[in-house]
Amino acid sequence: MTPRFLPAALACGVLFAAAAASAQSAPDGKQISIQGANGAPACITCHGARGEGNPAAGFPQLAGIGAKYLDEQLEAMANGSRVSPIMAATARALDPAQRAAVASYYAGLPSPLDTDRLAATAMALAKPADTGAWLATRGAWDKNVPACNQCHGPGGIGVGANFPSLAGQPAAYIASQLRAWQQGQRPPGPLALMPAVATRLTDAEIDAVSAYYAGLPKAADLLAAQANPATGAK
């Protein structure tokens, strides 16, 4: 190699070394989810190997939830603006880059939800006596409560970066979060919508709409089977 090419070669070497060092130092969201980090336990302990959650224990599904939303929630739990006795220590143990890596990892996992079937449930006519379905699809306009689906999408499939999916989340988890907004234990979110909604719901209404969304995937499968018996059960 002639000397006149040496500076370029050195420059390339420096850039390669810098890129390699950056790659090595970047947190691995999947590894953190499996092994934990900085004394924090592995995420899969509560949220499942595929981010599917644990309905029986009330731990929510994370797979397919937007990275921005997940990162904001981890930050809120770390700084205490979202009160979470279970998650606070874990969120604080992770540094911002690690929280972002974990959020990105779970956002990239395939959601277990059948969004087409779930969206189709929004077309079913709810009866006023079915409080959960009525609140989800129609709202309670007599007390300025919009339909949950207006923000969270038809069938609670989630919309954009700020409105996560609700379908299939544990009823106990949804209810606990609505009550957290009632008590000022979660950041208000976009336009401070959720505290305004939650404070206008009764305990019975919270339980009803939480149970509705928790059971919606099974209800969606049943609706599909009724509409097309030949393929609905697949």
Side-chain angles (χ1 to χ4, degrees), residues 26-37 41-45 48-50 97-109:
D28 185 329
K30 180 178 181 179
Q31 182 177 357
I32 295 170
S33 77
I34 296 172
Q35 299 179 0
C43 309
I44 64 172
T45 304
R50 298 174 302 279
Q98 290 172 321
R99 292 196 292 265
V102 169
S104 180
Y105 168 68
Y106 278 110
L109 291 178

Side-chain angles (χ1 to χ4, degrees), residues 162-193:
N162 294 313
F163 300 101
S165 58
L166 300 178
Q169 296 288 20
Y173 172 75
I174 297 174
S176 70
Q177 297 314 299
L178 287 168
R179 292 188 170 101
W181 272 304
Q182 282 185 333
Q183 298 160 13
Q185 295 181 341
R186 276 197 65 162
L191 302 177
L193 287 171

